[in-house]
Amino acid sequence: MRAYLDHAATTPLAPEALAAMRPWLEVEHGNPSSQHAAGRAARAAVEDAREQVAAALGVTPLEVLFTGGGTEADNTALKGIAWAARDAGRGAHLVTTAIEHHAVLDSARWLALRQAFDVTEVPVEPDGIVDPGRLLAAVRDDTVVVSVMAANNEIGTVQPLDVIGPALAQRGVVLHTDAVQAFGRVPLDLDGWGVGALSLSAHKFNGPKGVGALMLRRDLPCEGLLHGGGQERGLRSGTLNATGIVGCGAAAQLTAATAAVQVPRLRALRDRLLEGLLAVGDVAVNGSRRLRLPHNAHVAIHDCDADGLLLALDAAGVAVSTGSACQSGAAQPSHVMTAIGAPLEGVAHLRFTCGRTTTTAEVDHAVAACTDAIKRLRDGGSALPW
Ligand code: PLP
């Protein structure tokens, strides 16, 4: 039996998204910028998808730009908003957190290193949550954008944007949030939180890879990264990936329409998984138990070798992520593990993430394989049962 429990890394394409994409793979081929019938059909399909993404987020279609994924959406938001604000003389300071995805963190660091921006990386508490007071204290008069992820991709912690957002809005500071992991898993109140920009990636919600979206408020100045044909409000040149965009729209609609059923189902599966893992003993949860994504179980397994455990799980057909204190083969602890002060010596940190296709049988198989491997490794045995 196989158990794919790495839905934070990527998710399988939903049949509904595939069905929507199929004509755009097999028959339709127009360029959405062309004037003729084939082009107009492609344009209509792209605009339908834009409406689906906008409706799922509760924004207007004009506020949705399609990108080549979450990384591009994050880069555009950070660099584009920062450049436009500096050009307008509003300042050159950015605030972000220590546990952002590298698409945000490295964009901010590049702006600091190469573009003379000033960046403050606010630490998180040991439970993986940023203290709103600490974050807001880092905001200055020359702060042009604050980027705080809605939920973390490793430990699954959900940040208090309901507190941070309105406080930033009151001070007139733009909030960008990377919602790549959060979308469809926790409610996102873009208006209530005063979100100025938000990043999505289709392959994290059962859409295709290589397509994403940047929600950008219409009145928020932003420079584009890609120059050329002037597509997407002039902010993202390049022939639109109509096939991928159609899949992204269908997946966004499906995700929003089924969240009320899926979220409790995911939570139940995750809790079953966690219960099984904790029962092994000397296993702890990384990150807040309460403020975390419903599908994420990230655990510290003490007195256990991470590489050996991964090997054993892989041999048992269980796909998880090291998520990791010490990545396999590389002695570098992840920046998230470092930021929460996770113990590294002799501890295996594993991330299990459930999804739309996860079954109880998969969860039970993973728990059994994990229990067996941990016991064997702790007894000084080999990672593999043979
Ligand atoms: N942001 C977060 C939180 C992610 O988890 C990921 C993907 O792992 C990304 C951004 C990057 O998205 P993409 O793979 O679409 O470039």
Side-chain angles (χ1 to χ4, degrees):
M1 153 148 217
R2 307 192 75 77
Y4 180 78
L5 294 171
D6 205 9
H7 289 256
T10 196
T11 58
L13 190 66
E16 291 85 346
L18 177 61
M21 291 166 72
R22 203 175 267 287
W24 296 92
L25 287 162
E26 291 178 345
V27 185
E28 306 284 354
H29 55 267
N31 183 328
S33 298
S34 297
Q35 304 298 310
H36 47 61
R40 291 197 305 275
R43 170 57 61 186
V46 164
E47 296 314 320
D48 283 350
R50 201 185 305 281
E51 277 179 28
Q52 289 172 316
V53 174
L57 289 175
V59 300
T60 67
L62 281 167
E63 293 170 312
V64 175
L65 304 175
F66 287 110
T67 67
T71 299
E72 189 193 323
D74 284 341
N75 272 259
T76 306
L78 271 270
K79 295 172 185 171
I81 294 169
W83 285 331
R86 183 165 69 179
D87 287 353
R90 282 204 292 278
H93 177 239
L94 289 80
V95 176
T96 189
T97 82
I99 62 165
E100 298 299 309
H101 188 273
H102 278 295
V104 166
L105 217 44
D106 291 0
S107 291
R109 287 173 183 172
W110 180 84
L111 285 168
L113 199 66
R114 299 292 176 89
Q115 303 268 306
F117 280 84
D118 202 8
V119 174
T120 305
E121 289 175 22
V122 180
V124 295
E125 303 308 304
D127 64 355
I129 305 291
V130 68
D131 174 358
R134 215 165 167 181
L135 182 100
L136 294 167
V139 175
R140 313 190 311 217
D141 288 345
D142 63 341
T143 304
V144 293
V145 59
V146 173
S147 185
V148 179
M149 69 200 320
N152 182 261
N153 46 299
E154 284 190 39
I155 53 177
T157 46
V158 174
Q159 300 302 336
L161 294 182
D162 54 334
V163 179
I164 293 167
L168 289 175
Q170 223 173 28
R171 293 177 64 172
V173 179
V174 175
L175 170 65
H176 164 255
T177 187
D178 176 335
V180 164
Q181 296 289 341
F183 175 68
R185 300 185 178 113
V186 287
L188 300 171
D189 180 7
L190 273 60
D191 287 337
W193 302 344
V195 175
L198 175 145
S199 305
L200 290 183
S201 174
H203 76 99
K204 306 291 188 178
F205 54 89
N206 305 97
K209 292 168 183 55
V211 56
L214 174 64
M215 189 295 295
L216 185 72
R217 297 298 187 188
R218 286 179 71 190
D219 57 354
L220 178 54
C222 183
E223 284 288 328
L225 305 184
L226 303 181
H227 300 102
Q231 287 90 344
E232 299 298 89
R233 284 165 51 186
L235 283 167
R236 204 277 178 176
S237 289
T239 299
L240 289 168
N241 168 13
T243 311
I245 288 170
V246 164
C248 177
Q253 185 178 55
L254 175 72
T255 300
T258 55
V261 173
Q262 283 296 324
V263 169
R265 199 186 76 85
L266 291 175
R267 187 172 288 119
L269 286 167
R270 188 276 311 275
D271 287 347
R272 183 183 182 99
L273 182 63
L274 213 43
E275 207 175 299
L277 296 173
L278 294 176
V280 181
D282 264 339
V283 175
V285 178
N286 286 320
S288 168
R289 267 304 274 275
R290 194 172 59 84
L291 300 173
R292 75 186 299 123
L293 292 171
H295 72 322
N296 174 300
H298 196 292
V299 290
I301 303 162
H302 293 263
D303 189 21
C304 190
D305 168 53
D307 286 341
L309 189 50
L310 260 193
L311 189 69
L313 290 178
D314 193 34
V318 179
V320 299
S321 166
T322 50
S324 158
C326 289
Q327 305 271 350
S328 305
Q332 285 297 318
S334 96
H335 67 291
V336 178
M337 290 290 104
T338 307
I340 62 168
L344 304 179
E345 264 316 299
V347 185
H349 293 274
L350 287 193
R351 178 187 72 185
F352 298 77
T353 43
C354 304
R356 182 171 285 277
T357 51
T358 307
T359 61
T360 307
E362 277 184 294
V363 165
D364 292 347
H365 174 62
V367 169
C370 216
T371 306
D372 185 49
I374 294 168
K375 286 188 175 150
R376 217 172 35 246
L377 286 163
R378 281 181 179 164
D379 287 345
S382 110
L384 302 172
W386 54 81

